[in-house]
Amino acid sequence: MKNQAYFMSTQQPKLTRFKQNVLSKYHIYNSIFMTLPFDTISKTGVLLPLFHETCEKGFKNGDNPTTIVETFFKKYQGRRNEESQLNLLFRFIQYIERQVVLFDAIEDAAFPIVNNMDGIGTLRSLKGSARAENKLEELKKYLREFKVRIVLTAHPTQFYPGEVLGIITDLSEAIEDNDLLKINDLLAQLGKTPFFKHHKPSPYDEAVSLMWYLQNVFYHSFGKIYDYIQQNIFEDEVLENEVINIGFWPGGDRDGNPFVTPEITLKVAQRLKESILRNYYKDVRRLKRRLTFRGVEDKVSELESKIIPMCEGKNPKAMDVQEFKSILQNIKQTLIKEHQSLYIDQVNSLINKVHLFGFHFANLDIRQDSRAHAKVFNDMVDKLLETGSDIFPKNYHDLTEQEQVKILSNIKGKIDLSIFEDEDVLKTLETMKVIKTIQEENGERAANRYIISNNQTTLNVMQLWAMLKLVAFHDDLTVDIGPLFETIEDLENAPAVMEELYTNPQYAAHLKKRGNKQTIMLGFSDGTKDGGYLMANWGIFKAKERLTEVSRKYDVTVIFFDGRGGPPARGGGKTHQFYASLGPTIEDKEVQLTIQGQTISSNFGTLDSSQYNLEQLISSGIQNKLHGESLAMSQEHIEVMDDLAKRSYKAYSDFKGHPKFVPYLERMSTLKYYAKTNIGSRPSKRGKSSELVFEDLRAIPFVGSWSQLKQNVPGFYGVGTALKHYEDAGEFDKVVELYKGSSFFKTLIENSMMSLSKSFFDLTKYMADDPEFGEFWKIIYEESETSKRLILKLTGYSELMQEEPSGKASIAIRESIVLPLLTIQQYALKKIQEMQKEGEPDKEKIEVFEKLVTRSLFGNINASRNSA
């Protein structure tokens, strides 16, 4: 009956499914909050709808947030003193935070109904279309080499503590089962569970938090997908390629995070191994209950006896992964020969998981900034020369970059770390020893990639190469070095850097040993911050084309690893559509991308959403391979796209160069409050200067601050100006042709629409009258209006996101839920500004309003989870 109900429901339009299974349930379950036996909750629940109505009417009338808040208290709560008013605003924030959680849980529960699990982009659909087009063998060929890797990062865009994530999971299950009693209890639990973290998490805390997803979601969804591919596409043929794998940054990402130590990296790797072994142990226990046959039972018991002490860390070397696989294969063969293959699917499924996860669970990447490396490297050389070492020539620092690269390419020797005293030098070099240790204990795949962020030159790569060889990998470097190119300038220089590396005999020999594969990471977040939305995406597209060309020239398979965030402004948005639109000029044997914060919980937080979105990524890469030739951009389209990107870049650069740009962010936005949220272990900016410098800004608080203002500048600024040039010149038809003919450009425009859909300038309209920032606000507003008008003209839509009614509806509800939060936040910011202008400001009072701003950040960000 459940399957029949599912089938019936998925036949309805997606918007209808959304309204019935999400919107209606939200209104029903939201009313339960009002009945909870907590005085503060019930009173708040009665007053919040009145405040919400006051906000809606106020913004329609053109009122500012201060007027709206004061109107509410005057009309409904006239007897409250100022302290009581502030307490009520804090309670509104707490209540709305929990409304967002409820909506998340309901959307999670409805995911498989709202999103057809067998529809377009799923593996079942992919297999069907390949068979219909007589391309099944071609599909198999691609799956034998094609890979998708999602890399979990601890970048702080997730404001839910672990306890709340657990409640969301349990609440989703209760909602799916319509278990009212359990829902009531969980909402009561939610009402008493704090959202605010009083202390920053350590990098190890972050790693353990993300391992919950590995153990409870990815272990199962990866296994299910791989089982389907093997059984239904390859018809149980052995498949060497794992197709999907998972990367992990917490505990290994040192870029700008001084709290990540070699000890933590090793501890995280050990925890990853223990975590996967615990999952295997559960599966072995299940097998033990079923495989009670002669010749099999004893082998399962043997596995169990070896895994238990390994899980507990008592005997980590009781068995290696090869022995584990061998015993399972032996069990499988015995079942085939002697027991009519009974329960063989369960054994196969465990063999597949061991193939996917080994004893490492996830590939732990190490990352550090090139400038940090350069300082450590130079300090290391100085110390070695000082102690009389002959590894480097005495005049090393006086040599040209080319001469230095030549010396580093042929570096030999071993260095004794005990001679170093500098903490940064020791941390960096000890980390390289730790990589070797992890490989020895968990297998090479456990830690075999080192990312260099802010990579600018060949020397940046070769400095790391030399340190790795001198410290730990003297004869055989079993680590892939992945340069990360981020700024517009670095993207343009990237092909020349890679050609220097490919033509370096020693580096080329290293690549040959690594299967002639080269990982190159490209950063959308900092690219957008540096060059604006269109130029960042087009700059990366062009860089990929040129890097593909130079790599193919030297018979190297380039693997592009995309540093993406959740919102479109940081490379997010419709990610699978992006990969499906790349065309034949970009190497696409693997899709690799970072997944972080609310993107993990929203796109991969449940078994259904994880399976669906992983299948979409696999399908997008395969579709690009099967139909890539038809996606190639014509020369005319390339010229128009290039011109749009340049015009957009000029507009964004002028805007970024405006003297009020940094002061506006610093004083009118929530930028400086991100550091107070305690959601991530790393500092909120790179430099140590007390003065705010644009270059030191991290992409997350930068993009997030625009989002809190409901201005979403990085997702659209410059798009309108670029399109307007073509309208003014009477050549708008050229852009329309580009939109119709290029899936890549269409995806960019759709993502920009999402950013504009989440903009709400009525919230900050009062800033137009500000004597210092009024004109700057108007510049942003006018660009948003131009962008919106011309995107609608370009697409032929009457409203933004017209072709995605369910996505638009989800955004509209979430924006409505947090409207009071946004109003409170702006009210508090304005109060702080006013008090700071006073001769002797009341510091205690300012602190209270600052706390209001900080607390209001949480719900606003969490409500934006569908930006992923």
Side-chain angles (χ1 to χ4, degrees):
M1 286 296 290
K2 194 171 182 180
N3 288 340
Q4 187 180 357
Y6 166 76
F7 177 78
M8 293 291 290
S9 65
T10 54
Q11 303 311 299
Q12 298 169 324
K14 194 171 182 179
L15 181 59
T16 304
R17 302 197 302 264
F18 177 83
K19 285 180 177 176
Q20 289 178 351
N21 295 279
V22 179
L23 185 55
S24 297
K25 284 189 175 182
Y26 173 70
H27 289 312
I28 292 166
Y29 294 135
N30 188 38
S31 64
I32 294 176
F33 267 128
M34 305 269 293
T35 67
L36 294 177
F38 310 135
D39 286 345
T40 53
I41 285 185
S42 56
K43 287 175 184 174
T44 307
V46 170
L47 292 170
L48 183 56
L50 296 173
F51 183 56
H52 191 282
E53 185 185 13
T54 308
C55 292
E56 283 187 327
K57 284 182 178 176
F59 286 122
K60 276 181 186 172
N61 294 335
D63 294 339
N64 64 50
T66 305
T67 302
I68 289 169
V69 173
E70 289 172 351
T71 299
F72 167 75
F73 282 119
K74 188 176 179 182
K75 190 173 180 181
Y76 299 108
Q77 295 286 295
R79 294 179 180 178
R80 284 183 183 266
N81 60 29
E82 187 179 27
E83 184 182 352
S84 178
Q85 288 179 359
L86 289 170
N87 285 338
L88 181 61
L89 294 180
F90 276 113
R91 292 212 304 274
F92 281 162
I93 290 171
Q94 290 173 318
Y95 196 97
I96 292 165
E97 282 175 337
R98 285 150 181 81
Q99 285 182 312
V100 173
V101 170
L102 176 62
F103 193 79
D104 284 349
I106 291 169
E107 271 205 323
D108 285 348
F111 189 93
I113 297 173
V114 175
N115 301 278
N116 187 349
M117 298 298 284
D118 296 327
I120 294 169
T122 63
L123 286 175
R124 196 177 294 272
S125 169
L126 183 66
K127 181 191 172 187
S129 60
R131 178 172 278 158
E133 295 171 29
N134 211 18
K135 289 186 173 181
L136 201 54
E137 286 306 314
E138 206 173 335
L139 175 61
K140 286 184 184 179
K141 180 189 169 191
Y142 288 140
L143 283 171
R144 284 191 182 99
E145 60 178 20
F146 179 74
K147 284 185 176 71
V148 168
R149 179 184 295 187
I150 59 170
V151 180
L152 306 186
T153 82
H155 291 167
T157 60
Q158 174 59 268
F159 283 66
Y160 289 140
E163 298 82 2
V164 175
L165 286 171
I167 294 171
I168 292 176
T169 302
D170 295 340
L171 198 51
S172 296
E173 290 174 4
I175 289 165
E176 197 173 353
D177 295 336
N178 289 314
D179 187 339
L180 277 173
L181 191 62
K182 193 174 180 184
I183 291 166
N184 194 75
D185 287 347
L186 286 165
L187 290 177
Q189 181 188 350
L190 192 62
K192 286 186 168 289
T193 302
F195 279 46
F196 186 73
K197 297 177 182 178
H198 292 284
H199 306 285
K200 276 182 175 287
S202 72
Y204 183 70
D205 294 333
E206 290 172 330
V208 171
S209 179
L210 283 185
M211 280 182 216
W212 185 91
Y213 290 102
L214 290 179
Q215 290 177 283
N216 295 285
V217 180
F218 293 116
Y219 180 77
H220 304 287
S221 61
F222 274 44
K224 199 171 176 183
I225 289 169
Y226 194 80
D227 288 349
Y228 180 88
I229 291 170
Q230 192 193 51
Q231 292 166 16
N232 294 280
I233 297 177
F234 284 88
E235 296 172 341
D236 290 327
E237 175 192 330
V238 174
L239 181 60
E240 291 299 324
N241 181 29
E242 69 263 31
V243 185
I244 43 177
N245 59 48
I246 194 157
F248 204 73
W249 274 17
D253 182 10
R254 309 174 134 56
D255 182 9
N257 193 339
F259 308 114
V260 178
T261 63
E263 293 77 21
I264 279 179
T265 303
L266 190 57
K267 196 176 170 186
V268 167
Q270 288 166 342
R271 181 69 176 249
L272 281 166
K273 183 175 182 177
E274 287 169 15
S275 298
I276 189 60
L277 287 169
R278 288 179 192 280
N279 277 38
Y280 290 156
Y281 173 69
K282 289 175 189 173
D283 278 355
V284 169
R285 288 286 298 170
R286 289 187 191 99
L287 283 178
K288 191 177 181 183
R289 291 185 67 178
R290 296 287 170 261
L291 303 182
T292 52
F293 327 132
R294 186 179 296 145
V296 176
E297 188 179 18
D298 58 333
K299 292 185 178 74
V300 180
S301 295
E302 181 191 354
L303 274 181
E304 184 186 25
S305 67
K306 288 189 174 185
I307 287 180
I308 291 171
M310 292 177 76
C311 290
E312 296 168 349
K314 291 176 181 174
N315 187 5
K317 296 186 178 177
M319 170 177 58
D320 64 21
V321 73
Q322 292 308 321
E323 185 182 352
F324 189 21
K325 278 185 183 177
S326 177
I327 296 171
L328 287 171
Q329 289 290 356
N330 199 306
I331 291 170
K332 178 181 173 181
Q333 292 309 314
T334 307
L335 289 175
I336 293 168
K337 286 178 185 176
E338 299 176 22
H339 302 291
Q340 294 77 46
S341 297
L342 193 57
Y343 295 122
I344 199 165
D345 284 350
Q346 285 92 320
V347 177
N348 259 336
S349 188
L350 183 52
I351 290 171
N352 286 341
K353 284 170 182 163
V354 177
H355 178 56
L356 291 174
F357 302 116
F359 276 4
H360 61 283
F361 214 158
N363 304 59
L364 183 63
D365 284 342
I366 310 298
R367 183 173 78 130
Q368 181 56 286
D369 191 283
S370 65
R371 292 162 292 193
H373 275 158
K375 184 180 183 308
V376 164
F377 179 82
N378 289 327
D379 288 350
M380 179 190 79
V381 172
D382 289 342
K383 190 69 176 177
L384 287 170
L385 291 174
E386 183 188 311
T387 55
S389 167
D390 60 356
I391 292 175
F392 292 94
K394 289 186 172 59
N395 65 339
Y396 176 81
H397 291 307
D398 300 323
L399 302 175
T400 65
E401 274 201 19
Q402 287 81 2
E403 289 169 332
Q404 287 181 350
V405 166
K406 192 172 181 181
I407 286 169
L408 298 180
S409 303
N410 295 284
I411 204 80
K412 281 187 172 53
K414 297 180 183 180
I415 58 177
D416 177 4
L417 299 193
S418 66
I419 67 170
F420 301 105
E421 296 164 5
D422 183 275
E423 190 181 347
D424 288 338
V425 173
L426 276 170
K427 268 188 186 178
T428 303
L429 300 184
E430 285 282 3
T431 296
M432 295 174 193
K433 285 182 76 173
V434 162
I435 298 170
K436 181 84 168 173
T437 303
I438 294 169
Q439 289 191 2
E440 288 166 353
E441 292 183 359
N442 298 7
E444 194 221 282
R445 285 195 298 165
N448 66 355
R449 183 164 69 177
Y450 203 127
I451 308 292
I452 310 172
S453 51
N454 191 48
N455 196 97
Q456 297 177 333
T457 65
T458 306
L459 185 61
N460 292 153
V461 173
M462 298 314 293
Q463 284 175 339
L464 174 59
W465 155 285
M467 287 190 286
L468 284 165
K469 296 201 85 168
L470 290 172
V471 173
F473 299 89
H474 312 295
D475 304 315
D476 186 17
L477 182 56
T478 52
V479 177
D480 298 318
I481 298 174
L484 164 52
F485 301 102
E486 298 175 85
T487 66
I488 302 303
E489 186 181 351
D490 288 347
L491 287 169
E492 288 173 357
N493 294 336
V497 170
M498 295 316 300
E499 184 151 32
E500 283 182 21
L501 287 167
Y502 293 153
T503 53
N504 179 308
Q506 289 75 23
Y507 192 82
H510 164 68
L511 283 183
K512 194 169 184 180
K513 278 200 276 186
R514 306 294 294 167
N516 265 350
K517 290 183 177 180
Q518 171 66 56
T519 298
I520 298 175
M521 190 173 178
L522 302 157
F524 282 80
S525 294
D526 283 300
T528 305
K529 177 180 151 242
D530 181 55
Y533 181 66
L534 278 187
M535 179 54 96
N537 281 276
W538 182 237
I540 287 172
F541 186 95
K542 286 197 301 178
K544 282 185 175 180
E545 283 192 318
R546 291 166 60 216
L547 288 164
T548 297
E549 188 181 349
V550 73
S551 299
R552 287 174 179 171
K553 178 180 171 184
Y554 294 99
D555 197 27
V556 172
T557 300
V558 64
I559 297 163
F560 292 117
F561 174 23
D562 292 324
R564 293 180 174 278
R570 292 182 40 243
K574 301 168 184 66
T575 308
H576 56 274
Q577 289 183 18
F578 177 88
Y579 287 114
S581 71
L582 293 178
T585 53
I586 291 174
E587 192 67 79
D588 58 356
K589 284 192 172 67
E590 294 195 28
V591 167
Q592 295 196 9
L593 67 157
T594 53
I595 308 286
Q596 55 192 249
Q598 82 270 30
T599 318
I600 299 172
S601 57
S602 62
N603 278 17
F604 302 94
T606 67
L607 291 174
D608 288 324
S609 63
S610 173
Q611 182 182 339
Y612 180 84
N613 285 303
L614 281 166
E615 288 189 16
Q616 293 287 326
L617 280 172
I618 294 168
S619 179
S620 66
I622 301 280
Q623 289 287 7
N624 190 52
K625 279 177 170 292
L626 293 174
H627 306 289
E629 294 300 327
S630 64
L631 297 169
M633 292 175 78
S634 67
Q635 187 55 40
E636 188 179 345
H637 285 168
I638 290 170
E639 287 170 9
V640 175
M641 184 69 232
D642 201 55
D643 187 59
L644 284 168
K646 284 174 181 171
R647 292 182 185 282
S648 172
Y649 182 43
K650 171 74 167 62
Y652 179 78
S653 297
D654 289 347
F655 173 65
K656 195 175 69 172
H658 193 289
K660 295 299 177 190
F661 185 90
V662 172
Y664 180 82
L665 274 176
E666 191 170 23
R667 286 157 50 196
M668 305 299 276
S669 84
T670 58
L671 184 69
K672 66 183 178 183
Y673 296 94
Y674 267 78
K676 300 176 183 181
T677 56
N678 292 330
I679 57 165
S681 66
R682 69 180 188 175
S684 59
K685 67 186 187 78
R686 284 190 168 90
K688 294 178 181 176
S689 168
S690 56
E691 195 175 315
L692 186 64
V693 181
F694 178 79
E695 288 70 25
D696 288 344
L697 284 178
R698 291 194 180 281
I700 290 168
F702 173 74
V703 172
S705 296
W706 290 112
S707 174
Q708 295 280 331
L709 283 167
K710 286 295 153 190
Q711 294 175 0
N712 289 328
V713 159
F716 71 80
Y717 201 95
V719 175
T721 297
L723 292 174
K724 192 171 185 299
H725 166 79
Y726 282 82
E727 183 185 54
D728 292 345
E731 296 180 334
F732 202 73
D733 58 313
K734 287 185 178 179
V735 192
V736 173
E737 284 302 310
L738 174 64
Y739 178 77
K740 288 177 179 175
S742 166
S743 298
F744 173 76
F745 182 59
K746 188 177 183 185
T747 301
L748 294 188
I749 292 298
E750 286 175 351
N751 281 340
S752 206
M753 268 198 277
M754 186 189 286
S755 289
L756 284 164
S757 293
K758 293 184 176 184
S759 296
F760 180 59
F761 279 85
D762 286 352
L763 179 72
T764 55
K765 192 187 284 183
Y766 73 91
M767 293 182 188
D769 299 323
D770 188 272
E772 184 175 357
F773 294 108
E775 291 307 310
F776 187 74
W777 183 91
K778 288 173 187 171
I779 290 171
I780 303 168
Y781 176 68
E782 285 163 12
E783 181 66 17
S784 78
E785 288 293 292
T786 302
S787 298
K788 180 180 175 181
R789 177 179 70 81
L790 290 174
I791 282 176
L792 291 175
K793 180 177 179 179
L794 174 65
T795 58
Y797 295 170
S798 57
E799 57 182 26
L800 296 172
M801 294 183 70
Q802 184 177 305
E803 294 298 298
E804 293 177 83
S806 64
K808 184 179 174 68
S810 177
I811 288 171
I813 296 163
R814 288 173 177 278
E815 295 297 306
S816 176
I817 291 170
V818 296
L819 183 65
L821 263 188
L822 296 163
T823 309
I824 292 167
Q825 185 182 91
Q826 286 299 318
Y827 165 73
L829 284 168
K830 193 82 175 82
K831 283 284 185 186
I832 293 165
Q833 291 163 16
E834 288 169 1
M835 285 187 282
Q836 285 174 339
K837 287 175 184 173
E838 294 171 6
E840 292 183 16
D842 186 334
K843 289 183 180 177
E844 283 186 20
K845 211 170 176 183
I846 286 176
E847 276 182 20
V848 173
F849 281 98
E850 285 183 336
K851 193 177 174 186
L852 263 183
V853 175
T854 305
R855 288 304 311 277
S856 64
L857 287 170
F858 291 69
N860 290 335
I861 284 289
N862 290 334
S864 294
R865 76 185 321 211
N866 56 12
S867 64

